[in-house]
PDB file of all heavy atoms in Angstrom:
ATOM      1  N   SER P  26       6.694   9.467   0.603  1.00  0.00           N
ATOM      2  CA  SER P  26       5.745   8.425   0.185  1.00  0.00           C
ATOM      3  C   SER P  26       6.495   7.126   0.118  1.00  0.00           C
ATOM      4  O   SER P  26       7.563   7.057  -0.404  1.00  0.00           O
ATOM      5  CB  SER P  26       5.157   8.764  -1.171  1.00  0.00           C
ATOM      6  OG  SER P  26       4.220   9.862  -1.064  1.00  0.00           O
ATOM      7  N   VAL P  27       5.851   6.093   0.667  1.00  0.00           N
ATOM      8  CA  VAL P  27       6.499   4.747   0.628  1.00  0.00           C
ATOM      9  C   VAL P  27       5.455   3.685   0.318  1.00  0.00           C
ATOM     10  O   VAL P  27       4.262   3.859   0.589  1.00  0.00           O
ATOM     11  CB  VAL P  27       7.149   4.380   1.976  1.00  0.00           C
ATOM     12  CG1 VAL P  27       8.499   5.050   2.119  1.00  0.00           C
ATOM     13  CG2 VAL P  27       6.246   4.697   3.148  1.00  0.00           C
ATOM     14  N   ASP P  28       5.911   2.598  -0.272  1.00  0.00           N
ATOM     15  CA  ASP P  28       5.084   1.442  -0.445  1.00  0.00           C
ATOM     16  C   ASP P  28       5.389   0.413   0.631  1.00  0.00           C
ATOM     17  O   ASP P  28       6.545   0.038   0.797  1.00  0.00           O
ATOM     18  CB  ASP P  28       5.351   0.791  -1.811  1.00  0.00           C
ATOM     19  CG  ASP P  28       4.679   1.524  -2.929  1.00  0.00           C
ATOM     20  OD1 ASP P  28       3.462   1.747  -2.810  1.00  0.00           O
ATOM     21  OD2 ASP P  28       5.343   1.892  -3.881  1.00  0.00           O
ATOM     22  N   VAL P  29       4.390   0.064   1.406  1.00  0.00           N
ATOM     23  CA  VAL P  29       4.622  -0.880   2.496  1.00  0.00           C
ATOM     24  C   VAL P  29       3.546  -2.004   2.487  1.00  0.00           C
ATOM     25  O   VAL P  29       2.449  -1.816   1.928  1.00  0.00           O
ATOM     26  CB  VAL P  29       4.532  -0.161   3.854  1.00  0.00           C
ATOM     27  CG1 VAL P  29       5.702   0.748   4.081  1.00  0.00           C
ATOM     28  CG2 VAL P  29       3.183   0.566   4.067  1.00  0.00           C
ATOM     29  N   GLU P  30       3.942  -3.085   3.103  1.00  0.00           N
ATOM     30  CA  GLU P  30       2.914  -4.140   3.392  1.00  0.00           C
ATOM     31  C   GLU P  30       1.951  -3.554   4.433  1.00  0.00           C
ATOM     32  O   GLU P  30       2.369  -2.792   5.293  1.00  0.00           O
ATOM     33  CB  GLU P  30       3.599  -5.353   3.972  1.00  0.00           C
ATOM     34  CG  GLU P  30       4.560  -6.094   3.047  1.00  0.00           C
ATOM     35  CD  GLU P  30       3.806  -6.834   1.933  1.00  0.00           C
ATOM     36  OE1 GLU P  30       2.604  -7.173   2.205  1.00  0.00           O
ATOM     37  OE2 GLU P  30       4.358  -7.037   0.890  1.00  0.00           O
ATOM     38  N   PRO P  31       0.677  -3.959   4.371  1.00  0.00           N
ATOM     39  CA  PRO P  31      -0.308  -3.432   5.340  1.00  0.00           C
ATOM     40  C   PRO P  31       0.115  -3.737   6.771  1.00  0.00           C
ATOM     41  O   PRO P  31      -0.210  -2.967   7.712  1.00  0.00           O
ATOM     42  CB  PRO P  31      -1.571  -4.175   4.992  1.00  0.00           C
ATOM     43  CG  PRO P  31      -1.418  -4.543   3.561  1.00  0.00           C
ATOM     44  CD  PRO P  31       0.033  -4.778   3.353  1.00  0.00           C
ATOM     45  N   ARG P  32       0.845  -4.808   6.994  1.00  0.00           N
ATOM     46  CA  ARG P  32       1.253  -5.150   8.368  1.00  0.00           C
ATOM     47  C   ARG P  32       2.490  -4.456   8.878  1.00  0.00           C
ATOM     48  O   ARG P  32       2.905  -4.641  10.041  1.00  0.00           O
ATOM     49  CB  ARG P  32       1.516  -6.674   8.435  1.00  0.00           C
ATOM     50  CG  ARG P  32       2.680  -7.132   7.602  1.00  0.00           C
ATOM     51  CD  ARG P  32       3.017  -8.583   7.827  1.00  0.00           C
ATOM     52  NE  ARG P  32       4.200  -8.983   7.080  1.00  0.00           N
ATOM     53  CZ  ARG P  32       4.198  -9.389   5.830  1.00  0.00           C
ATOM     54  NH1 ARG P  32       3.046  -9.477   5.178  1.00  0.00           N
ATOM     55  NH2 ARG P  32       5.315  -9.751   5.181  1.00  0.00           N
ATOM     56  N   THR P  33       3.106  -3.642   8.061  1.00  0.00           N
ATOM     57  CA  THR P  33       4.373  -2.978   8.449  1.00  0.00           C
ATOM     58  C   THR P  33       4.107  -1.953   9.582  1.00  0.00           C
ATOM     59  O   THR P  33       3.218  -1.086   9.467  1.00  0.00           O
ATOM     60  CB  THR P  33       5.019  -2.228   7.261  1.00  0.00           C
ATOM     61  OG1 THR P  33       5.160  -3.143   6.197  1.00  0.00           O
ATOM     62  CG2 THR P  33       6.342  -1.624   7.641  1.00  0.00           C
ATOM     63  N   THR P  34       4.860  -2.067  10.638  1.00  0.00           N
ATOM     64  CA  THR P  34       4.674  -1.100  11.751  1.00  0.00           C
ATOM     65  C   THR P  34       5.326   0.240  11.327  1.00  0.00           C
ATOM     66  O   THR P  34       6.216   0.271  10.473  1.00  0.00           O
ATOM     67  CB  THR P  34       5.330  -1.575  13.039  1.00  0.00           C
ATOM     68  OG1 THR P  34       6.744  -1.707  12.837  1.00  0.00           O
ATOM     69  CG2 THR P  34       4.697  -2.878  13.541  1.00  0.00           C
ATOM     70  N   LEU P  35       4.925   1.286  11.991  1.00  0.00           N
ATOM     71  CA  LEU P  35       5.513   2.587  11.697  1.00  0.00           C
ATOM     72  C   LEU P  35       7.012   2.623  11.926  1.00  0.00           C
ATOM     73  O   LEU P  35       7.751   3.145  11.101  1.00  0.00           O
ATOM     74  CB  LEU P  35       4.764   3.705  12.531  1.00  0.00           C
ATOM     75  CG  LEU P  35       5.336   5.111  12.339  1.00  0.00           C
ATOM     76  CD1 LEU P  35       5.239   5.540  10.857  1.00  0.00           C
ATOM     77  CD2 LEU P  35       4.541   6.051  13.228  1.00  0.00           C
ATOM     78  N   VAL P  36       7.455   2.041  13.050  1.00  0.00           N
ATOM     79  CA  VAL P  36       8.876   2.121  13.368  1.00  0.00           C
ATOM     80  C   VAL P  36       9.667   1.258  12.315  1.00  0.00           C
ATOM     81  O   VAL P  36      10.790   1.668  11.912  1.00  0.00           O
ATOM     82  CB  VAL P  36       9.176   1.715  14.819  1.00  0.00           C
ATOM     83  CG1 VAL P  36       8.938   0.188  15.065  1.00  0.00           C
ATOM     84  CG2 VAL P  36      10.613   2.088  15.171  1.00  0.00           C
ATOM     85  N   ASP P  37       9.143   0.139  11.910  1.00  0.00           N
ATOM     86  CA  ASP P  37       9.842  -0.629  10.880  1.00  0.00           C
ATOM     87  C   ASP P  37       9.859   0.129   9.541  1.00  0.00           C
ATOM     88  O   ASP P  37      10.884   0.120   8.817  1.00  0.00           O
ATOM     89  CB  ASP P  37       9.172  -1.993  10.657  1.00  0.00           C
ATOM     90  CG  ASP P  37       9.579  -2.988  11.729  1.00  0.00           C
ATOM     91  OD1 ASP P  37      10.541  -2.732  12.447  1.00  0.00           O
ATOM     92  OD2 ASP P  37       8.907  -4.018  11.822  1.00  0.00           O
ATOM     93  N   CYS P  38       8.828   0.814   9.247  1.00  0.00           N
ATOM     94  CA  CYS P  38       8.744   1.644   8.055  1.00  0.00           C
ATOM     95  C   CYS P  38       9.817   2.741   8.106  1.00  0.00           C
ATOM     96  O   CYS P  38      10.581   2.957   7.160  1.00  0.00           O
ATOM     97  CB  CYS P  38       7.409   2.244   7.895  1.00  0.00           C
ATOM     98  SG  CYS P  38       7.222   3.395   6.508  1.00  0.00           S
ATOM     99  N   LEU P  39       9.933   3.371   9.242  1.00  0.00           N
ATOM    100  CA  LEU P  39      10.898   4.492   9.396  1.00  0.00           C
ATOM    101  C   LEU P  39      12.304   3.938   9.277  1.00  0.00           C
ATOM    102  O   LEU P  39      13.187   4.477   8.578  1.00  0.00           O
ATOM    103  CB  LEU P  39      10.760   5.170  10.787  1.00  0.00           C
ATOM    104  CG  LEU P  39       9.452   5.947  10.976  1.00  0.00           C
ATOM    105  CD1 LEU P  39       9.321   6.360  12.459  1.00  0.00           C
ATOM    106  CD2 LEU P  39       9.513   7.230  10.121  1.00  0.00           C
ATOM    107  N   ARG P  40      12.551   2.790   9.907  1.00  0.00           N
ATOM    108  CA  ARG P  40      13.903   2.252   9.948  1.00  0.00           C
ATOM    109  C   ARG P  40      14.291   1.590   8.593  1.00  0.00           C
ATOM    110  O   ARG P  40      15.370   1.824   8.107  1.00  0.00           O
ATOM    111  CB  ARG P  40      14.031   1.188  11.034  1.00  0.00           C
ATOM    112  CG  ARG P  40      14.034   1.812  12.460  1.00  0.00           C
ATOM    113  CD  ARG P  40      14.038   0.676  13.543  1.00  0.00           C
ATOM    114  NE  ARG P  40      15.156  -0.176  13.349  1.00  0.00           N
ATOM    115  CZ  ARG P  40      16.412   0.054  13.804  1.00  0.00           C
ATOM    116  NH1 ARG P  40      16.625   1.164  14.489  1.00  0.00           N
ATOM    117  NH2 ARG P  40      17.363  -0.774  13.588  1.00  0.00           N
ATOM    118  N   HIS P  41      13.399   0.763   8.076  1.00  0.00           N
ATOM    119  CA  HIS P  41      13.768  -0.050   6.914  1.00  0.00           C
ATOM    120  C   HIS P  41      13.476   0.628   5.591  1.00  0.00           C
ATOM    121  O   HIS P  41      14.174   0.356   4.596  1.00  0.00           O
ATOM    122  CB  HIS P  41      13.109  -1.415   6.998  1.00  0.00           C
ATOM    123  CG  HIS P  41      13.449  -2.145   8.241  1.00  0.00           C
ATOM    124  ND1 HIS P  41      14.781  -2.342   8.654  1.00  0.00           N
ATOM    125  CD2 HIS P  41      12.660  -2.716   9.206  1.00  0.00           C
ATOM    126  CE1 HIS P  41      14.744  -2.995   9.838  1.00  0.00           C
ATOM    127  NE2 HIS P  41      13.496  -3.246  10.149  1.00  0.00           N
ATOM    128  N   GLU P  42      12.419   1.379   5.526  1.00  0.00           N
ATOM    129  CA  GLU P  42      12.080   2.036   4.250  1.00  0.00           C
ATOM    130  C   GLU P  42      12.692   3.412   4.095  1.00  0.00           C
ATOM    131  O   GLU P  42      13.021   3.848   2.999  1.00  0.00           O
ATOM    132  CB  GLU P  42      10.545   2.154   4.094  1.00  0.00           C
ATOM    133  CG  GLU P  42       9.754   0.884   4.271  1.00  0.00           C
ATOM    134  CD  GLU P  42      10.061  -0.131   3.181  1.00  0.00           C
ATOM    135  OE1 GLU P  42      10.423   0.240   2.071  1.00  0.00           O
ATOM    136  OE2 GLU P  42       9.969  -1.362   3.481  1.00  0.00           O
ATOM    137  N   LEU P  43      12.852   4.133   5.225  1.00  0.00           N
ATOM    138  CA  LEU P  43      13.306   5.487   5.148  1.00  0.00           C
ATOM    139  C   LEU P  43      14.726   5.641   5.758  1.00  0.00           C
ATOM    140  O   LEU P  43      15.234   6.777   5.794  1.00  0.00           O
ATOM    141  CB  LEU P  43      12.333   6.385   5.871  1.00  0.00           C
ATOM    142  CG  LEU P  43      10.902   6.387   5.280  1.00  0.00           C
ATOM    143  CD1 LEU P  43       9.918   7.116   6.141  1.00  0.00           C
ATOM    144  CD2 LEU P  43      10.919   6.975   3.833  1.00  0.00           C
ATOM    145  N   ASN P  44      15.292   4.541   6.204  1.00  0.00           N
ATOM    146  CA  ASN P  44      16.605   4.569   6.734  1.00  0.00           C
ATOM    147  C   ASN P  44      16.779   5.470   7.941  1.00  0.00           C
ATOM    148  O   ASN P  44      17.889   6.002   8.216  1.00  0.00           O
ATOM    149  CB  ASN P  44      17.638   4.967   5.650  1.00  0.00           C
ATOM    150  CG  ASN P  44      18.969   4.348   5.837  1.00  0.00           C
ATOM    151  OD1 ASN P  44      19.017   3.322   6.535  1.00  0.00           O
ATOM    152  ND2 ASN P  44      19.986   4.899   5.273  1.00  0.00           N
ATOM    153  N   LEU P  45      15.722   5.738   8.700  1.00  0.00           N
ATOM    154  CA  LEU P  45      15.801   6.539   9.893  1.00  0.00           C
ATOM    155  C   LEU P  45      15.921   5.570  11.057  1.00  0.00           C
ATOM    156  O   LEU P  45      14.915   5.179  11.677  1.00  0.00           O
ATOM    157  CB  LEU P  45      14.546   7.400  10.045  1.00  0.00           C
ATOM    158  CG  LEU P  45      14.415   8.531   8.958  1.00  0.00           C
ATOM    159  CD1 LEU P  45      13.027   9.168   8.954  1.00  0.00           C
ATOM    160  CD2 LEU P  45      15.508   9.571   9.165  1.00  0.00           C
ATOM    161  N   THR P  46      17.120   5.179  11.362  1.00  0.00           N
ATOM    162  CA  THR P  46      17.375   4.127  12.362  1.00  0.00           C
ATOM    163  C   THR P  46      17.573   4.652  13.746  1.00  0.00           C
ATOM    164  O   THR P  46      17.911   3.902  14.607  1.00  0.00           O
ATOM    165  CB  THR P  46      18.577   3.293  11.894  1.00  0.00           C
ATOM    166  OG1 THR P  46      19.705   4.208  11.710  1.00  0.00           O
ATOM    167  CG2 THR P  46      18.331   2.547  10.638  1.00  0.00           C
ATOM    168  N   GLY P  47      17.282   5.917  13.952  1.00  0.00           N
ATOM    169  CA  GLY P  47      17.387   6.462  15.292  1.00  0.00           C
ATOM    170  C   GLY P  47      16.386   5.871  16.258  1.00  0.00           C
ATOM    171  O   GLY P  47      16.631   5.642  17.450  1.00  0.00           O
ATOM    172  N   SER P  48      15.166   5.632  15.787  1.00  0.00           N
ATOM    173  CA  SER P  48      14.148   5.020  16.616  1.00  0.00           C
ATOM    174  C   SER P  48      14.466   3.544  16.747  1.00  0.00           C
ATOM    175  O   SER P  48      14.689   2.845  15.738  1.00  0.00           O
ATOM    176  CB  SER P  48      12.769   5.182  15.953  1.00  0.00           C
ATOM    177  OG  SER P  48      12.513   6.526  15.620  1.00  0.00           O
ATOM    178  N   HIS P  49      14.500   3.062  17.991  1.00  0.00           N
ATOM    179  CA  HIS P  49      14.914   1.696  18.202  1.00  0.00           C
ATOM    180  C   HIS P  49      13.727   0.764  18.419  1.00  0.00           C
ATOM    181  O   HIS P  49      12.599   1.198  18.740  1.00  0.00           O
ATOM    182  CB  HIS P  49      15.847   1.636  19.427  1.00  0.00           C
ATOM    183  CG  HIS P  49      17.145   2.295  19.190  1.00  0.00           C
ATOM    184  ND1 HIS P  49      17.982   2.726  20.163  1.00  0.00           N
ATOM    185  CD2 HIS P  49      17.780   2.584  17.982  1.00  0.00           C
ATOM    186  CE1 HIS P  49      19.061   3.261  19.612  1.00  0.00           C
ATOM    187  NE2 HIS P  49      18.957   3.204  18.305  1.00  0.00           N
ATOM    188  N   VAL P  50      13.987  -0.495  18.210  1.00  0.00           N
ATOM    189  CA  VAL P  50      12.948  -1.539  18.401  1.00  0.00           C
ATOM    190  C   VAL P  50      13.425  -2.486  19.486  1.00  0.00           C
ATOM    191  O   VAL P  50      14.474  -3.136  19.329  1.00  0.00           O
ATOM    192  CB  VAL P  50      12.675  -2.321  17.115  1.00  0.00           C
ATOM    193  CG1 VAL P  50      11.628  -3.381  17.352  1.00  0.00           C
ATOM    194  CG2 VAL P  50      12.230  -1.365  16.004  1.00  0.00           C
TER     195      VAL P  50
END
Side-chain angles (χ1 to χ4, degrees):
S26 285
V27 280
D28 279 309
V29 290
E30 294 288 335
R32 65 173 183 276
T33 306
T34 63
L35 178 58
V36 70
D37 280 346
C38 175
L39 292 168
R40 289 176 56 84
H41 302 308
E42 305 296 330
L43 301 171
N44 212 21
L45 293 168
T46 53
S48 307
H49 291 160
V50 179

